[in-house]
Amino acid sequence: MKSSIKEVAHLAQVSIATVSYVLNGTKRVRPETEKRVMDAVRKLNYQVNPLARNLRKGESKLIGFVVSDFGNYFFQEIAMGLEAQLAAAGYSLILIDSKEQKEIEIENVKNLIAQAVDALVIAPTTEDCSYLSLLLANNPIPAIMIDRRPEGFVSDLILATNEQGAYEAVKALTERGHRNIAFMGEKRDSTMLERLQGYTRALEEAQIPINANYIRFGSHSSGSQRILKHGTMYHHTFDLLSNHNITAIFSGNNMGTIGIFSCIKETNLKVPEDLAFITFDDEFWLTMTSPAITAVAQNPDEMGKVAGNLVLERLRKNPDEEYSYQEIRISTHLIIRGSI
Amino acid sequence: MKSSIKEVAHLAQVSIATVSYVLNGTKRVRPETEKRVMDAVRKLNYQVNPLARNLRKGESKLIGFVVSDFGNYFFQEIAMGLEAQLAAAGYSLILIDSKEQKEIEIENVKNLIAQAVDALVIAPTTEDCSYLSLLLANNPIPAIMIDRRPEGFVSDLILATNEQGAYEAVKALTERGHRNIAFMGEKRDSTMLERLQGYTRALEEAQIPINANYIRFGSHSSGSQRILKHGTMYHHTFDLLSNHNITAIFSGNNMGTIGIFSCIKETNLKVPEDLAFITFDDEFWLTMTSPAITAVAQNPDEMGKVAGNLVLERLRKNPDEEYSYQEIRISTHLIIRGSI
DNA sequence: TCATTTTAGAAAAACGTTTAACTACTATAA
DNA sequence: TTATAGTAGTTAAACGTTTTTCTAAAATGA
């Protein structure tokens, strides 16, 4: 049914080594011999057995991508960019969802190592990544972190220009005369703190004092989009709109935006007349609301591509060759829509 | 660095076969010997090399999922259900996007076969799947089709109750007194034709004659969500609203809905007063619009889980054991929101 | 007691490649 | 002519498991 290199060799009247050389182009072979081999290959419809090759070469041509939340469109886009880049180099991507739970993330990494992936790309659920040092200690494969700065583990790192993105967004608000601007961040992690810095810088530049009441963080456990609609951020929004006279909200990420916008929708506030709204992360549905929502667009496709290239680069390097880890920032841009 | 079974055997003073027996529980071993082996395993922090095991056992523990359009939330949900089910059985999922292009789909299947996946789950871009018969001829792995009925290839099949779902949706419209109801289907495939049948049945039941002008299909090439906003369906909607006095639209799927709703939003029609709207496929953003959009919810998570179980079932069977292919229907349910 | 069966483990084959080491032959140069 | 280098191919080792086959000792039964 499935033919092996042995049968090809036999049919072509050569040794199996020669077949391998022809197929891989790893050694000179007389044209005549090559033809005999290729004819046999075609006749038998031979394809190499990747299982055998993998064992011999000690690689699997598999890359694992551990995603903190696969329900988040942002990571889906990254995955697509990554996959495109890796597929071109003959690698396949194993995608696996941590559902924002650290234990699942650790389990996922273990499983991927058990599948002998050649490298890992990880969007960690939390910053504590010390477990990776342990798991990779006697299994030194490249690991590239994305979206969040890990603690307890050094590696290549791909991040957005969070501070700058937030700064530009909030600046767009101050320029329109807003002074009471809320900052709402779903998760309090390094990424969100960078965005908070951008918020702070824009306010300072406009000589607006920081009001701690206007800065809100959500619960750490984010759930599905449906749950988020009436989650912590929803209630924070309700409080801000009822008890504080804010005129604009800047949402630190797309997940928080769900709760915030759900609340806004339920009030009778007019956007943008009564309340201006901007969110980090551009997502498709932001254009389907009335009015459409202004957003700081990241470039997840680009992040995925860059991650892919970095993986390939690392894989080409000799493992003990010295290598300095890279930190790459992917730029954001503000897309202005009707909500401000 | 990475220890092999040989070293474990040596440390435990047994043969490598015994180590294998202990680890896999495939043969009786004296408790004392077992302890020696396990101690050695722990001391060396040994983990089996899956590459070697795969070669020997002739399996990869990999399942390929070829998705017609990974940008479509529907398939993402399926993927998550599938992954959950397979992971529990020790399988990993390789996800790959065909971007609605047949050539890419074929390429994807080839690549997955080259990666030696143990089985395939395919959401085909078009119904013509005769290429599979060829590709799987000398590589007989199970393949399970999902969402669309393949032609030229027999296999297990998982579909939604399309006719019934559409019927209930359109019935909800006729019950509210609508008589001029448009049916808009993005792609003209077996799935969409089933939905059209549901539409037809509901109209006949309400004794409303079918008006061919009210039935519209889109271009076959669907693109990204952003492109769809002003694609064929957008123009069909514009025509229907301008030149035909329809009072309700039933959209055959989520992709078409993007263009349709974009157009509705740009007119000054009041929904649902001037125009009622229902779509097949429930998606998160349908609740963020004003009003929220009524939808026929499929159960993609369930579809993924069922697909996973089917894969595992097939994998357990002896390949030449006779097996009758299954066709499984996953039910839909109507979620009524403000748009009707 | 002696033949038979059971048990625990070892030895070795097998999975299908890649690749290092080797061989025989041919071409080149002195 | 003879040493040397290059060419084209073969042989065999290696990758790390699982599993079949084999062996020796112990247990069982008559």
Side-chain angles (χ1 to χ4, degrees):
Chain A
M1 181 126 284
K2 221 170 153 182
S3 45
S4 76
I5 197 173
K6 217 168 173 174
E7 302 165 54
V8 175
H10 182 250
L11 183 59
Q13 308 262 54
V14 296
S15 71
I16 61 167
T18 303
V19 177
S20 176
Y21 292 137
V22 168
L23 258 29
N24 297 295
T26 41
K27 215 173 178 184
R28 275 191 100 108
V29 170
R30 272 193 307 170
E32 183 206 313
T33 314
E34 178 169 341
K35 183 173 177 344
R36 279 217 314 283
V37 170
M38 292 312 292
D39 284 351
V41 164
R42 268 187 291 275
K43 185 170 241 163
L44 296 174
N45 193 19
Y46 168 75
Q47 289 171 247
V48 302
N49 179 332
L51 269 32
R53 166 187 283 169
N54 288 346
L55 171 59
R56 174 59 223 228
K57 302 189 84 166
E59 63 178 24
S60 64
K61 288 283 177 181
L62 254 29
I63 309 290
F65 184 20
V66 183
V67 177
S68 57
D69 175 18
F70 196 63
N72 189 335
Y73 137 99
F74 175 64
F75 294 115
Q76 294 159 6
E77 286 272 312
I78 292 178
M80 290 169 74
L82 186 58
E83 195 251 293
Q85 212 63 201
L86 294 177
Y91 286 84
S92 293
L93 190 67
I94 299 186
L95 246 179
I96 189 155
D97 186 7
S98 307
K99 304 181 203 305
E100 292 291 0
Q101 291 168 51
K102 201 71 195 179
E103 317 84 71
I104 299 184
E105 177 184 326
I106 296 175
E107 206 51 44
N108 286 344
V109 171
K110 280 185 186 162
N111 286 337
L112 288 173
I113 290 175
Q115 270 282 6
V117 294
D118 291 341
L120 284 168
V121 178
I122 305 177
T125 56
T126 66
E127 288 160 325
D128 176 17
C129 290
S130 45
Y131 76 96
L132 276 171
S133 309
L134 291 165
L135 287 180
L136 297 182
N138 56 347
N139 206 60
I141 57 173
I144 285 172
M145 311 303 285
I146 208 163
D147 187 49
R148 244 173 230 140
R149 180 186 300 281
E151 276 167 18
F153 181 71
V154 290
S155 70
D156 293 300
L157 181 56
I158 297 173
L159 298 169
T161 53
N162 294 307
E163 200 271 351
Q164 181 67 17
Y167 165 78
E168 285 169 14
V170 178
K171 190 177 171 205
L173 293 171
T174 60
E175 281 174 353
R176 281 164 178 74
H178 292 282
R179 295 187 59 85
N180 297 352
I181 304 171
F183 174 95
M184 305 188 66
E186 172 72 5
K187 265 194 170 187
R188 185 186 228 116
D189 55 23
S190 64
T191 295
M192 196 55 81
L193 293 180
E194 288 181 0
R195 293 177 189 173
L196 180 58
Q197 276 168 23
Y199 164 84
T200 308
R201 173 154 70 101
L203 290 195
E204 281 170 353
E205 221 174 82
Q207 301 188 322
I208 300 170
I210 309 295
N211 183 336
N213 285 325
Y214 294 173
I215 298 174
R216 303 292 176 99
F217 285 96
S219 66
H220 241 247
S221 68
S222 87
S224 78
Q225 292 172 323
R226 320 237 170 219
I227 291 168
L228 284 168
K229 288 185 69 175
H230 295 94
T232 327
M233 298 316 272
Y234 177 94
H235 294 106
H236 274 308
T237 310
F238 191 81
D239 177 53
L240 282 167
L241 296 179
S242 320
N243 307 322
H244 302 265
N245 53 341
I246 58 163
T247 64
I249 293 179
F250 171 66
S251 169
N253 79 352
N254 54 356
M255 292 317 228
T257 292
I258 294 171
I260 299 167
F261 192 76
S262 294
C263 184
I264 294 174
K265 216 163 73 97
E266 289 180 18
T267 68
N268 284 328
L269 287 178
K270 284 232 176 308
V271 177
E273 294 81 356
D274 302 338
L275 183 76
F277 186 55
I278 299 188
T279 178
F280 216 96
D281 292 328
D282 189 31
E283 223 173 317
F284 163 73
W285 68 266
L286 300 180
T287 66
M288 298 303 268
T289 57
S290 307
I293 299 172
T294 299
V296 179
Q298 299 198 55
N299 198 338
D301 185 71
E302 177 69 11
M303 290 177 98
K305 289 213 169 82
V306 169
N309 287 335
L310 218 45
V311 165
L312 295 173
E313 190 180 322
R314 294 280 268 138
L315 249 20
R316 271 192 295 268
K317 296 261 181 192
N318 193 310
D320 27 58
E321 197 175 326
E322 74 167 291
Y323 181 90
S324 60
Y325 293 108
Q326 297 187 42
E327 174 174 328
I328 299 178
R329 292 278 178 172
I330 308 295
S331 63
T332 59
H333 72 282
L334 184 65
I335 300 176
I336 295 189
R337 302 201 180 93
S339 70
I340 67 169
Chain B
M1 180 126 283
K2 223 168 151 184
S3 45
S4 77
I5 197 173
K6 219 169 173 175
E7 303 165 53
V8 174
H10 183 250
L11 182 59
Q13 309 263 53
V14 296
S15 72
I16 60 168
T18 303
V19 176
S20 176
Y21 292 139
V22 168
L23 258 29
N24 298 296
T26 42
K27 212 173 177 183
R28 273 192 101 108
V29 171
R30 270 192 310 171
E32 183 207 312
T33 314
E34 178 169 339
K35 181 173 178 342
R36 280 217 313 282
V37 170
M38 291 313 291
D39 284 350
V41 165
R42 267 188 291 274
K43 186 169 241 163
L44 296 174
N45 193 19
Y46 168 76
Q47 289 171 245
V48 302
N49 179 331
L51 269 32
R53 167 186 284 169
N54 289 346
L55 170 59
R56 174 60 224 230
K57 301 189 83 165
E59 63 178 23
S60 65
K61 288 284 177 179
L62 255 27
I63 310 291
F65 184 21
V66 182
V67 177
S68 57
D69 175 16
F70 196 63
N72 190 335
Y73 137 100
F74 175 64
F75 294 115
Q76 294 158 8
E77 285 271 313
I78 293 178
M80 289 170 73
L82 186 57
E83 195 249 294
Q85 211 64 199
L86 294 177
Y91 286 86
S92 294
L93 190 68
I94 298 186
L95 247 181
I96 189 156
D97 186 9
S98 306
K99 305 181 203 304
E100 291 291 1
Q101 291 169 52
K102 200 72 193 177
E103 318 86 69
I104 299 184
E105 177 183 327
I106 296 174
E107 206 50 46
N108 287 343
V109 171
K110 280 184 186 163
N111 286 337
L112 288 172
I113 290 174
Q115 269 283 5
V117 294
D118 291 340
L120 283 169
V121 179
I122 304 177
T125 56
T126 67
E127 286 158 324
D128 175 17
C129 290
S130 45
Y131 75 97
L132 276 171
S133 310
L134 290 166
L135 287 180
L136 297 181
N138 56 347
N139 205 60
I141 57 173
I144 286 172
M145 310 303 284
I146 206 162
D147 186 50
R148 245 174 228 137
R149 181 185 301 280
E151 275 167 16
F153 180 72
V154 290
S155 70
D156 293 299
L157 181 55
I158 297 172
L159 298 169
T161 54
N162 293 305
E163 200 270 353
Q164 180 69 16
Y167 166 77
E168 287 169 13
V170 177
K171 190 176 171 205
L173 293 171
T174 60
E175 282 175 352
R176 281 164 179 74
H178 293 280
R179 295 186 60 83
N180 297 353
I181 303 171
F183 175 95
M184 306 188 66
E186 172 72 5
K187 266 194 170 186
R188 187 184 225 118
D189 54 25
S190 64
T191 295
M192 196 56 80
L193 292 180
E194 287 181 0
R195 294 176 190 174
L196 180 57
Q197 275 168 22
Y199 164 86
T200 308
R201 174 155 68 101
L203 291 195
E204 281 170 353
E205 220 175 82
Q207 302 187 324
I208 301 169
I210 308 296
N211 182 335
N213 286 324
Y214 294 172
I215 298 174
R216 303 292 175 98
F217 285 97
S219 66
H220 241 247
S221 69
S222 88
S224 77
Q225 292 172 321
R226 321 238 169 215
I227 292 168
L228 284 168
K229 289 185 70 178
H230 295 93
T232 327
M233 298 316 272
Y234 176 95
H235 294 107
H236 273 308
T237 309
F238 191 81
D239 177 54
L240 281 167
L241 296 179
S242 321
N243 307 322
H244 303 266
N245 52 344
I246 59 164
T247 64
I249 294 179
F250 172 66
S251 169
N253 79 352
N254 55 356
M255 291 319 226
T257 293
I258 294 171
I260 298 167
F261 192 74
S262 294
C263 184
I264 294 175
K265 216 163 74 99
E266 288 178 20
T267 67
N268 284 326
L269 287 177
K270 283 234 176 307
V271 178
E273 294 81 357
D274 302 338
L275 182 76
F277 184 55
I278 299 188
T279 177
F280 216 97
D281 292 328
D282 189 30
E283 225 172 315
F284 163 73
W285 69 266
L286 300 180
T287 66
M288 299 303 269
T289 57
S290 307
I293 300 171
T294 298
V296 179
Q298 298 198 54
N299 198 339
D301 184 71
E302 177 70 11
M303 290 175 98
K305 290 216 168 81
V306 168
N309 287 334
L310 217 47
V311 165
L312 294 173
E313 189 180 322
R314 292 281 267 137
L315 248 19
R316 271 192 294 269
K317 296 259 182 195
N318 194 311
D320 27 57
E321 197 175 324
E322 74 166 292
Y323 181 93
S324 59
Y325 293 107
Q326 298 187 41
E327 175 174 327
I328 299 178
R329 292 278 179 174
I330 308 295
S331 63
T332 59
H333 72 282
L334 184 64
I335 299 177
I336 294 188
R337 302 200 180 94
S339 70
I340 66 170

